[in-house]
Every structure is written in structure tokens, then in C-alpha cells.
Amino acid sequence: MSLPAAAARGSVRVFHLAGVEKVYGSGEAAVHALRGLDFDVMAGELLVLLGPSGSGKSTLLNILGGLDRPTAGRALFRDLDLGAADDAAITDYRRHHVGFVFQFYNLIASLTAEENVELVTEVADDPMPAAEALGLVGLGQRRGHFPSQLSGGEQQRVAIARAIAKRPTVLLCDEPTGALDVATGVRVLESLVDVNTRLGTTTLLITHNADIARIGDRVVRFADGRIRSIESNARRVAPRELHW
Amino acid sequence: MIRLAPLDHKLLRDLRRMWLQIVAVGTVLGCGIALFVMATGTYGSIQRSRDQYYAAERMADLAASVVRAPESVGAQLAALPGVDAVETRVSGIALVDLPGVSEPVSARVVSLPRGREARVNDIVLHTGRLPAPERDNEIVVNEAFAERNGLGPGDTLAAVLYGRRRTLEIVGVASSPEFVFAVAPGEITPEPQRFGVFWMGREGLARAYDLDGAFNDVAIRQARDAKPRELVAAVDRLLARHGGRGAYGRDRMISAQFLEDELRSLQTMASVLPPVFLAVAVFLVNVSLSRLIATERSNIGLLKSFGYSNLAVAAHYAKFSLAFAALGTVLGVAVGQVGGDYMASIYRSVYRLPDLQFDAGPLVYAGAIGVGIAAAVLGSARAVRRAIRLPPAAALAPPAPTRFGGLGERVERAARSLDAKSRMIVRRIVRFPRRSLSTVAGIAAAIALLVTSQHFPVAMNHIVDVNFGAAQRMDVTLAFADVHDASILRDVRRLPGVLAVEPMRSAPVILSAGTRSQRDSLLGIPAGARLNRVLDGEERPVPPRADGLTIARVLARKLDVQVGDRVRVQATDGRRRSLEIPVVAIVDPFVGAPAYLELDTLNRLLQEPERVTAAYLLVDARAREAFSREVKRLPAIAGVTYADNAENTLRRLFNEGSGFFAALFVVFSSMMAAGVAFSAARVTLAEQERDLATLRVLGFRRREASYVLLGEIGALLLAAIPLGIVLGYLLTRWLMSQFATELFSFPHVLSPAAYGQSVAFVAVAVVVAALFVRRGVDRLDMVGVLKSRD
Ligand SMILES: Nc1ncnc2c1ncn2[C@@H]1O[C@H](COP(=O)(O)OP(=O)(O)OP(=O)(O)O)[C@@H](O)[C@H]1O
Ligand SMILES: [Mg+2]
């Protein structure tokens, strides 16, 4: 990874958060998942979100992905107010700009790997062929298989192929390696980093693993619904150099 | 406070979450059970109360009419072996003039013994008192007639008895097992408004009929050990010289026979349809539960991975299913009981059976409950067994689609050209064939049940339509009090408004072949008859022949005869001729016509030329009033029936009787169809929930996600429609063939309307249910679905 490339990308703001709060429930039972977040995400960044369990990482990612809305504050994608836009606009946002990768893959069991990817490319504006996306994650040979015929890591890579195939503006990954062994986890991370560098896709990656944080441009540490620190990595480490 | 085991907490949560589904499945099962309880219970109750009534009021086993027999013959009859009790009576037909009623009304007048209860065919007095024995102007009338005409004790009416007009005073209202249905001579349906039964003191009536010290009618109860055939022969021998017309059993007593026919059609409905309903309900519950539990497969894997034993897991889902069964059975038994009580109250007045109480009996309830529980447990057992057989790991992984041969491959290849959402639909259907087939089968079964249950009214209406449209085309039927010579037709022709007259003769005979014999009526129908035609099953007229008998297939079977065989015909009336006549044709008559031949030939063979017992007329509608007024003056007339009245009566009778039953089937099958539709839609949503949420996460719009849900349900519905039509056709044909073994043949009328309505109803139910369920797409928990494994 070359530094100039990262610097060139870092000039356009993709997300802008100002005082974002999220409260689940009300009264006695209220849970403050997010207690006021302020920060921006720049185009082409690979941002790693770190933090203990329950600190609000997934909550934030869901808000940024248009799956949930903040209780207070503003969360903007470019000019789109993710808290105030109507459901149709949010759906369109997800459709055209967001690629998701989840801990539990969330593939459609009745569709093959390739068809799972096609599900997304079909409605995208400028997608890459499904076969190409699968090739990027090293699954070109397995595209006719159903999820039940793939290993967990392979399923996760299908999910990544599905997320990147539409060339999303932002790629949101919630513990994509959580269920995987080291070697497989490295493969998955390589796919993500590859997409981030080659396509310039802004990527947010949640992990529990401090080691993995080294692959990002910046690391955001969460604690109890707040941002404890934001650090820039001097150098992005390639996934295969990681050990955990 | 009881501490619940964690699994029971899960159970209660699940049940609360699925309450709508429980209601849907419970409704389906409840309908099946309710109908079963109601139908079997109602039939059993009616039959039981009829038998009790017959026993309590000593319903006759045998009856015979004679021209005139001295009272001493009564004692001889009582002395015959196998006779338990004998009641000799005077009986006749009276023409009645009711104030304000222009149409002719007639009544059967029957004597009551002096100073004691009738030993046979006793009556139950509802209001008033018995007539004084010696009075020839006091009568007790039957309940139906009194009710329909608003008559009661104290009212008077004018009647012509034996040619003499007199004023009769009603002193009481009664009913009798002999006249549960009072049917006028020559008629096939009771018309309580125009035909009544009058009971009068024996002496008074005997005087009116010139039968002092004699009788012309006898009712006999046979002893338990009686040999019916021999007894009939002995009675006939004794009565022959007094002008006996032949003794006959209950199968020839018109009320008993009518009630028996009604009961038989109720029985067929009760014994054939409800089990089918129950079977379909069981199937649907089975399907719903096994699909529901299939959606739990990862939970089952999880439980097993925690170390729960197969038994514990199975027990958990057995409890789960029992909740469905419990609702269904409780609902079914309760509705069945309430419905049964209601049915009993309806049938109490239709069949005029006193003390008709609905009581299905413990066996029916136990059976219903057992079936309900078995349905649910077996339904879940299959799915649970499949799930626990899987190693936990496999259960935790997404369900593996089945690859299956030729057709599936071809469908899939065809689906390649579709968009991914449509392909998802096709895939889900083709790759999970068991699931898809069970939904298709469930919806098809609902359509089939609706088609079949609608068929009863359709068939019945068709019978009435054809009978009065093509077979019986007269306006008026005149029944003569006795066998008359044809000169009476001249008087009839002179009545106002009469446009055409067609004679008919019905001769009481014993038909026999080999060792088999059957008492029946032999009809003489004129060649070229236009007003009263016999039609075959295909509704083609089968004219009478002069060279031999045309007989109904049922009768042919009873006598074991073929075309070409000779049948012995023993007249039990008039000259009592005994002949041998060849069978020249066997038909499936549309409506009962046991045996007939050309009128002149019949009269010639019986050596009684120019005799008639009835006449069919075309009457100018504008002259109806005048005709009614004049026809009453003809002394020979025993009954006048207007075809339109008869048609209305027949329709009403059907609507109140078995038609009410049939309507019930329609209601229940509609409810079942709705339950099936809802449960199919709901379970499809449950199965798709995760996929749909994922689609939404990926940026698919609600409309698109809904398309996947509705598309699957819609495609399955489309597949179910033709299957439902075919199933409905087969089921209907099978049911009608069950009916055909009974005395009257039930036509299998292809009614496009019934099919159309059934399909439309089920389709609308499915669409409404699907749209209702579709709202679930708006509420999909996108975040939640990402947090959990499949
Ligand atoms: N639907 C919900 N209702 C109530 N509380 C919720 C809900 N979803 C999340 N929370 C709470 O919000 C807080 C933040 O949750 P979140 O899922 O964002 O944590 P996280 O940082 O992603 O944790 P982990 O690393 O364990 O995934 C937690 O305390 C959680 O209990
Ligand atoms: Mg999380």
C-alpha cells in the first residue's frame, strides 16, 4: 500500500457524524448504545472500528448502512441525512451505495454462489460480472455451489463478492472474520483490502482483534457508546503479515 | 408460582408469537372436527329419536287396506303367529274446504279406537282432547297441518267425506309416528298446507263410511320372532276374500319410507363427507405443523448441540403441536355441540320428531379428540424426526436444497432467463419440492372440498329442475280416490281452463323372479305421454313399451333379472291377475320409476280396461281460480297437486333437510379454505423471513421483497387451481357414486359455477391472506436478522 494513494483519497468526505446518539427502549430499560459521536469518514479510507463487546460498533455500522436510525444527532452520507430521509430514499441508498458483509454471511440458501451475487448485480448501476466478483475472492471454481455446500470462510467470501460486485461507494463489514480461522480470515481480509485499494471503496471494518486494526488507515476505538480515540496508522500492514 | 423450565418459556413465547397461525390451523382442524361431531351426531340423534318414537307410539310394522272386512277378522289377524298387536281401523280420504283457501286441500281420515289407546300407531295429543267416539264431526288434526293453516281446537272446517259434506270441529292437535310426514296419495313430497291427517272416533267415522262393525284398514305390530315374509303371506291370505290390497311393511309406508330416505341421505352425508373433511383437516394440520417445525430446524440443531436429548427435543415440539391440537379440538367439539343442538332444533320441526335431542355420544367425541391430537402430533413428528436425525452441525447450516431430476432441471434452465428474484421464487419451489407440493396439495384440497360441498345443492336443484322441467310437465296432478274407469277423464276435461289431460294408472303388484320378489307399483303410462315422462340418467325420455316391462336398474338388481327375462306380476288389487311379462328395457331413471309399461297394455293384461288412478293436466293459468273451485266438486278426487306448489315444496324440503346439511358443508369448507390460505401464506413468510430481510438489507425495495413472497404464494396457488379442480371433480364423482348405491341416483352435474366459485373463493382467500401477511415485509427486522444465525 502506497501512502500517496491514501492521501489522494482522503480529501472527499463520505460520512459526516455530528452528535449521533442511539437509545434503545425508554425509561428504566433504556440502553444508551451511542452517546454522541462526532467524526467524518473520507473517501477511499479503510477505517477499523475496535472496542469491547456492547460498545456500540454494530449500532453505528447499522446507522451508516441505513438499517437503523439515530435517536439524536445527524448522520450524513454525502448530502443524504440518514436519520431523516424516507424509507424509499434509504432503500435506494443501500441499493446503490452500500455493500454489506456480516458475521453470519446471510446468503440466500436457495441460490447458488453466483446467483447470490447476481441478486445484487442485477439491480446495481454499474456492476462487475458475478463471475469476476467471485474470482476476486478466489471462488471462481465454486460458483455453482449452494451455501450449504460451502465452508464458513467460503460463504463469507461469497458474501464479500456479493457486497463488492456492485462496486459500492462504501463497504460495511461487521466482524467478517469473527467465525473464521486465521488462514481463512487472512484470505477474507485480503479480499477486502484488495477491493479497497483497487476500487477505492471506502471501507468500514469492525473487529475485536487489535492486530487486525493494523491493516486500516485509521482506527476508531469505542468504549461505552463513545469514541475513546481515533488513531492513524503510519503504515497499513498487509493481512498476510498479521498473526493472531 | 411454578418455575417453568427454559424450554417451556420458549414454548410459551413461540405460541404467543404464532398465535395467528395457531388460530388458522386450529380453525381448520376445528372445522373438520365440528363437522364430524355435528354430522355423525345429528344423524345418530335423529335415528335414535325416530326409533324411540316408533317404539313408544307402537309404529306399525305391517299395514294393509281392504275393501271391507268384518271386525272378527281383526281377532283372526291377532291370532296369527308372529303378530304382537293389531289395530283395525276405518280410513278414507276427505276433500277439505278451508276458509280463504281456493286450492283444493285433502286429508286422510283415520279412526281412533274407543276408550283406549291405539294398540298400533298411537297418537300423541299436543293440545285439546280426543274426539268423542260416537261423534262424526269431531276431529283431531295433525300438528303440521294445524300449524301451517293456523288451526287449533275450537276451529271448524268443511269436508266432503264419502261424498257427503259436513262441518268438522277440531278438538285437538296431535302427531303420530305413522304420519311423521303426511304425503297425499300419488304424491312424492309432503305438503302440510294442503294435506292433513284427521283422527276421528271409530264409530262416528265408520258410520260416515258405511262401515259399521267392519274395517277397511289394519295396522299390525309384529312380534320379535316374527318371520316377515310368512306373516305378510298369512295376512294376505286372511284378507284376500275381503278385498285385501296386499299387506306391506315399513318400506312401503309412505311416511316411514320418506323419513328413511331422508335419514339415508343424511347418513350418506354424515358418513362420507365428514371423514373426508376430517382427513383433509388432518392433512392440512399435518402440513402446517411440519412446515412450521421445519422453520425451527436450526433451533433444534442448537438444542441438540447443547446436549438436549432427542427425546427432550421431540417432547418440546410435541407440546408445541398439542397447543394447536388443543385449540382445534376444543373449538371443534364446542362448535360441534352448539351446532348439533341447533341442527336438532331445526330438524325437530322439519321431521316433527318429539324429543329430538342432539347427543353425539362419547365415542364420537373421543374419536374427534383422538383424531385431532393424532393429527397434530403426527404432523410435528415427521418434521421433528427429520430435524433430530440430522447431526446438530447440519441442522445449524442452511437447509440443503434437493437436486432433483429431469423436470426440475428443465424448470431451472427455463428460469435462467428470469431475473434473480423470479429465479429465487422458482428455486424455492423446485428445490424444496416437498414443501411446495404440500402447499399446493393443501390449497387444492380446500378447492376440492368447496367444489364437492357445493355440489349437493347443485345436484338437488338439478334434480328438481329436470323433474319439473323435462319429466313432469303437467300443471296439475289429480289423484283419484280409487281405480276409476276412464269416463272420469271426460268430467276432468270439462273443468274450466283444462287444455290437456293425460291418464295414468298405478297398480299395486308383487313382482317376482325366481325366489326373489318385491312389492311395488307398476305404472301404466300412455304411449306418447307428454306431460309425465320417464327420463333416464342422461335425461332422455324412455317411452313406455307395449311388448314388456321397462324397469329401473335398482329393481332389476333386486330381482336379479336381465333384459329378456320374464317377471311374474301378481296384482294385489282388483281382479288380482297373475301374469308373466318379459323385461324389455332396464333404465337408470332420473327420479324413481320402478317399473312401467304402456297403459292400454297394462289394463288389457290386468283384464281391467280403461282404468286410471291419476290424471295429469295442463291448465290455463288464467283459469286457475275457477279450476280450483270446480275441481273440488268432483267426488272421485282424492288429491289435487299443482306442479309449482310441489316444486316449491320439494325445494323447501331440500333446503330444510339435507340441503341445510349441505349448506353447512359449504360454510365449513369455506372456513377451512380460509384457514389453509392464511396458514400457507403465514408459513411461507416464516420460511422466507430471513431471506426477505437480507434482500431488504441489500437494498431491495419493499415492493421487490413482497414480490418474492407473493410470487411464491401466487405460483403455488396457480399450480393448485387445476389440481383442485381435478381433485374436486374426482371427489365429487366418488361421493355421488356413494350416493348412487342408495335408492335414488344422484346425478353428477358438472357445474361450472360451483367450480368457478370455489376457485374464486380460495384464490381470494389466498390473496387476502397473502396481502395480510405481506405487511410482515414492512416490519422485517433487518438489524435483528443480521445478528442471528439462520
Ligand atoms: N435492539 C436492541 N435493543 C436494546 N438494546 C440493544 C439493541 N441492540 C443493541 N442493543 C444494545 O446496544 C449496545 C450496543 O450494541 P452493539 O450491538 O452496537 O454492540 P457492539 O459494539 O457491536 O458489540 P459486539 O462487539 O458484541 O458485537 C449494547 O449494550 C446492546 O445491548
Ligand atoms: Mg456487534
Side-chain angles (χ1 to χ4, degrees):
Chain A
M1 173 59 46
S2 57
L3 276 171
R9 282 191 239 117
S11 52
V12 181
R13 200 178 65 187
V14 179
F15 288 119
H16 169 67
L17 286 88
V20 168
E21 289 182 25
K22 178 71 187 182
V23 183
Y24 289 107
S26 59
E28 293 265 310
V31 178
H32 290 262
L34 297 177
R35 298 170 188 269
L37 303 186
D38 305 281
F39 76 101
D40 292 345
V41 180
M42 298 303 168
E45 261 198 299
L46 199 167
L47 197 71
V48 176
L49 308 182
L50 262 183
S53 177
S55 55
K57 306 179 295 291
S58 297
T59 304
L60 173 64
L61 209 70
N62 290 340
I63 289 173
L64 294 181
L67 297 178
D68 211 345
R69 290 167 190 266
T71 324
R74 272 158 69 81
L76 298 184
F77 167 78
R78 294 180 182 159
D79 296 328
L80 180 72
D81 187 335
L82 297 174
D86 65 13
D87 187 69
I90 294 283
T91 302
D92 269 344
Y93 160 63
R94 282 202 303 271
R95 185 180 189 123
H96 297 299
H97 298 289
V98 184
F100 279 108
V101 180
F102 310 104
Q103 186 176 0
F104 299 118
Y105 330 137
N106 293 80
L107 299 177
I108 306 276
S110 57
L111 298 180
T112 61
E114 184 172 27
E115 288 164 349
N116 261 288
V117 177
E118 282 169 352
L119 196 60
V120 170
T121 57
E122 191 173 275
V123 294
D125 292 331
D126 172 32
M128 63 178 83
E132 185 187 331
L134 283 169
L136 274 182
V137 296
L139 282 179
Q141 305 305 312
R142 307 295 299 274
R143 46 185 221 233
H145 286 89
F146 286 94
S148 58
Q149 298 165 316
L150 298 172
S151 79
E154 286 160 351
Q155 288 184 53
Q156 187 61 298
R157 279 185 281 154
V158 174
I160 292 173
R162 182 177 66 181
I164 61 176
K166 67 169 151 187
R167 304 182 207 277
T169 316
V170 293
L171 191 56
L172 306 176
C173 314
D174 196 341
E175 297 186 52
T177 58
L180 306 175
D181 67 74
V182 178
T184 317
V186 167
R187 287 216 63 165
V188 166
L189 291 177
E190 274 178 336
S191 305
L192 290 174
V193 169
D194 198 38
V195 170
N196 172 256
T197 34
R198 273 211 272 164
L199 308 176
T201 308
T202 310
T203 305
L204 276 76
L205 173 78
I206 293 181
T207 177
H208 274 121
N209 191 315
D211 216 30
I212 293 178
R214 292 161 59 205
I215 68 168
D217 295 305
R218 289 196 292 166
V219 181
V220 181
R221 286 178 199 276
F222 278 74
D224 196 22
R226 292 194 180 85
I227 294 174
R228 218 181 58 198
S229 67
I230 302 179
E231 301 154 21
S232 295
N233 281 332
R235 186 181 86 88
R236 279 170 59 165
V237 175
R240 67 183 121 47
E241 294 173 44
L242 296 176
H243 309 281
W244 74 82
Chain B
M1 181 81 191
I2 315 159
R3 252 192 70 80
L4 287 172
L7 268 188
D8 291 330
H9 276 296
K10 167 173 162 14
L11 183 67
L12 291 179
R13 288 273 147 66
D14 287 347
L15 293 179
R16 200 159 52 211
R17 180 167 55 90
M18 294 183 187
W19 71 273
L20 265 173
Q21 188 106 28
I22 297 178
V23 169
V25 173
T27 303
V28 171
L29 184 59
C31 284
I33 289 179
L35 201 68
F36 179 74
V37 168
M38 240 155 123
T40 25
T42 301
Y43 166 70
S45 304
I46 293 178
Q47 193 190 36
R48 203 163 41 242
S49 82
R50 174 193 68 171
D51 293 346
Q52 279 164 5
Y53 189 33
Y54 279 5
E57 306 308 326
R58 300 179 291 277
M59 171 69 172
D61 296 306
L62 284 180
S65 65
V66 293
V67 174
R68 178 194 185 98
E71 195 50 48
S72 58
V73 176
Q76 290 175 297
L77 284 169
L80 287 176
V83 170
D84 187 42
V86 171
E87 191 65 60
T88 61
R89 315 189 296 186
V90 173
S91 162
I93 290 285
L95 277 185
V96 183
D97 237 338
L98 287 179
V101 179
S102 67
E103 290 176 2
V105 174
S106 57
R108 171 156 294 278
V109 195
V110 182
S111 68
L112 287 175
R114 176 183 197 126
R116 59 170 172 83
E117 289 188 341
R119 280 188 282 256
V120 185
N121 288 344
D122 197 14
I123 67 171
V124 182
L125 195 62
H126 296 295
T127 53
R129 59 170 173 86
L130 293 175
E134 70 287 351
R135 301 286 296 267
D136 61 2
N137 63 349
E138 285 187 358
I139 55 168
V140 164
V141 303
N142 69 320
E143 194 186 19
F145 182 78
E147 265 174 26
R148 285 289 164 83
N149 291 299
L151 296 171
D155 291 330
T156 58
L157 45 80
V160 180
L161 267 76
Y162 208 54
R164 238 191 333 262
R165 187 181 176 85
R166 38 185 103 216
T167 302
L168 302 175
E169 188 191 341
I170 298 173
V171 298
V173 175
S175 55
S176 148
E178 186 185 4
F179 299 106
V180 171
F181 286 100
V183 181
E187 281 313 305
I188 50 167
T189 55
E191 286 195 67
Q193 205 158 1
R194 291 177 206 90
F195 185 75
V197 181
F198 297 172
W199 286 276
M200 196 185 270
R202 171 73 182 266
E203 274 108 77
L205 190 58
R207 228 178 304 128
Y209 276 87
D210 258 343
L211 283 169
D212 284 305
F215 65 90
N216 66 355
D217 181 278
V218 61
I220 298 169
R221 258 180 94 77
Q222 61 194 27
R224 212 175 288 278
D225 57 358
K227 300 192 181 70
R229 289 177 65 98
E230 286 159 34
L231 186 54
V232 166
V235 170
D236 282 352
R237 268 196 306 279
L238 254 180
L239 295 180
R241 104 183 75 105
H242 307 288
R245 295 196 182 91
Y248 51 90
R250 284 186 188 167
D251 60 331
R252 305 273 304 151
M253 293 179 198
I254 194 147
S255 163
Q257 199 187 1
F258 200 89
L259 187 52
E260 180 68 30
D261 273 353
E262 276 289 319
L263 271 180
R264 211 173 322 182
S265 73
L266 281 188
Q267 184 191 22
T268 310
M269 281 202 211
S271 62
V272 177
L273 259 189
V276 171
F277 263 71
L278 202 55
V280 171
V282 165
F283 169 73
L284 295 172
V285 169
N286 200 299
V287 165
S288 301
L289 272 177
S290 81
R291 283 183 73 180
L292 213 54
I293 287 170
T295 64
E296 286 273 302
R297 96 193 218 119
S298 60
N299 282 338
I300 292 174
L302 212 54
L303 289 175
K304 279 185 66 184
S305 73
F306 295 158
Y308 280 90
S309 69
N310 284 349
L311 196 68
V313 171
H316 172 66
Y317 286 100
K319 282 190 222 167
F320 177 78
S321 317
L322 281 180
F324 286 71
L327 181 78
T329 17
V330 167
L331 211 71
V333 168
V335 170
Q337 181 65 41
V338 171
D341 283 339
Y342 178 66
M343 298 268 285
S345 76
I346 298 264
Y347 283 135
R348 229 181 345 257
S349 66
V350 174
Y351 295 135
R352 303 211 166 261
L353 291 170
D355 310 322
L356 175 55
Q357 293 295 339
F358 178 79
D359 180 11
L363 227 61
V364 170
Y365 289 116
I369 292 167
V371 162
I373 290 173
V377 170
L378 290 180
S380 58
R382 231 164 20 108
V384 170
R385 208 178 43 227
R386 255 204 317 276
I388 57 186
R389 253 208 318 260
L390 290 173
L396 283 168
T402 26
R403 276 212 180 270
F404 86 126
L407 179 66
E409 296 285 339
R410 232 170 305 139
V411 172
E412 288 200 357
R413 223 169 304 129
R416 284 227 147 262
S417 56
L418 297 173
D419 62 305
K421 291 187 299 297
S422 306
R423 200 153 58 215
M424 241 174 105
I425 297 173
V426 173
R427 270 293 157 68
R428 286 182 52 88
I429 293 172
V430 176
R431 293 270 161 178
F432 299 94
R434 195 203 300 262
R435 191 161 72 187
S436 316
L437 281 179
S438 64
T439 306
V440 170
I443 298 174
I447 293 176
L449 274 191
L450 260 176
V451 166
T452 307
S453 54
Q454 285 194 54
H455 188 79
F456 284 93
V458 167
M460 199 59 211
N461 271 324
H462 183 73
I463 290 178
V464 177
D465 285 348
V466 172
N467 189 49
F468 289 98
Q472 314 226 286
R473 302 191 295 181
M474 72 296 274
D475 296 324
V476 176
T477 303
L478 295 183
F480 302 124
D482 239 316
V483 186
H484 257 270
D485 64 65
S487 64
I488 187 143
L489 298 177
R490 272 199 304 278
D491 298 337
V492 171
R493 266 189 207 99
R494 276 201 287 270
L495 290 170
V498 171
L499 304 173
V501 176
E502 187 176 291
M504 197 278 283
R505 175 171 187 186
S506 166
V509 294
I510 297 170
L511 299 168
S512 49
T515 57
R516 302 186 180 209
S517 75
Q518 176 75 17
R519 203 172 272 275
D520 225 317
S521 298
L522 179 55
L523 305 185
I525 297 173
R530 288 182 307 120
L531 301 187
N532 176 43
R533 305 189 300 174
V534 178
L535 303 183
D536 67 9
E538 267 73 59
E539 298 163 28
R540 288 176 306 236
V542 188
R545 291 175 48 171
D547 54 343
L549 295 177
T550 306
I551 69 174
R553 190 169 311 282
V554 199
L555 181 58
R557 213 172 289 140
K558 277 187 193 156
L559 295 175
D560 193 21
V561 292
Q562 320 272 332
V563 169
D565 292 351
R566 299 179 78 79
V567 171
R568 268 191 314 285
V569 177
Q570 167 68 60
T572 57
D573 202 356
R575 286 169 166 276
R576 299 172 179 279
R577 290 275 298 158
S578 183
L579 327 144
E580 282 212 349
I581 310 180
V583 173
V584 292
I586 291 175
V587 290
D588 289 298
F590 193 77
V591 183
Y596 62 99
L597 85 167
E598 196 273 318
L599 176 62
D600 290 335
T601 315
L602 173 69
N603 281 334
R604 185 165 42 75
L605 290 173
L606 296 179
Q607 298 188 343
E608 296 162 348
E610 306 258 305
R611 297 300 160 92
V612 295
T613 56
Y616 302 108
L617 320 182
L618 283 183
V619 177
D620 187 344
R622 286 162 302 182
R624 186 156 167 166
E625 282 285 312
F627 173 84
S628 293
R629 217 167 32 242
E630 293 297 318
V631 74
K632 290 188 219 173
R633 304 232 169 101
L634 286 184
I637 304 280
V640 182
T641 310
Y642 291 90
D644 50 359
N645 288 339
E647 183 175 344
N648 290 338
T649 308
L650 206 60
R651 284 192 206 278
R652 201 189 50 232
L653 204 80
F654 173 71
N655 287 336
E656 290 174 348
S658 19
F660 179 68
F661 228 56
L664 216 76
F665 287 120
V666 177
V667 169
F668 276 83
S669 45
S670 307
M671 279 168 62
M672 280 173 73
V676 172
F678 189 83
S679 137
R682 187 64 193 76
V683 81
T684 308
L685 175 66
E687 289 162 357
Q688 292 201 358
E689 209 146 27
R690 194 181 167 78
D691 285 358
L692 295 180
T694 302
L695 285 183
R696 291 281 288 135
V697 168
L698 294 178
F700 283 84
R701 306 193 171 99
R702 284 181 187 174
R703 199 158 20 85
E704 294 166 320
S706 302
Y707 167 74
V708 174
L709 174 71
L710 299 182
E712 178 174 338
I713 300 175
L716 295 179
L717 172 65
L718 285 183
I721 287 173
L723 184 64
I725 290 174
V726 171
L727 270 182
Y729 176 81
L730 294 177
L731 185 62
T732 308
R733 217 179 55 177
W734 177 71
L735 272 178
M736 292 309 124
S737 75
Q738 294 299 105
F739 271 71
T741 61
E742 307 299 331
L743 254 176
F744 60 106
S745 73
F746 233 79
H748 182 192
V749 192
L750 213 52
S751 158
Y755 284 89
Q757 278 164 19
S758 305
V759 168
F761 182 89
V762 173
V764 167
V766 169
V767 168
V768 167
L771 290 178
F772 180 78
V773 164
R774 195 215 61 85
R775 297 183 317 167
V777 173
D778 300 342
R779 293 194 299 248
L780 284 172
D781 181 2
M782 285 183 270
V783 175
V785 81
L786 303 178
K787 278 192 203 165
S788 63
R789 297 197 54 123
D790 189 17

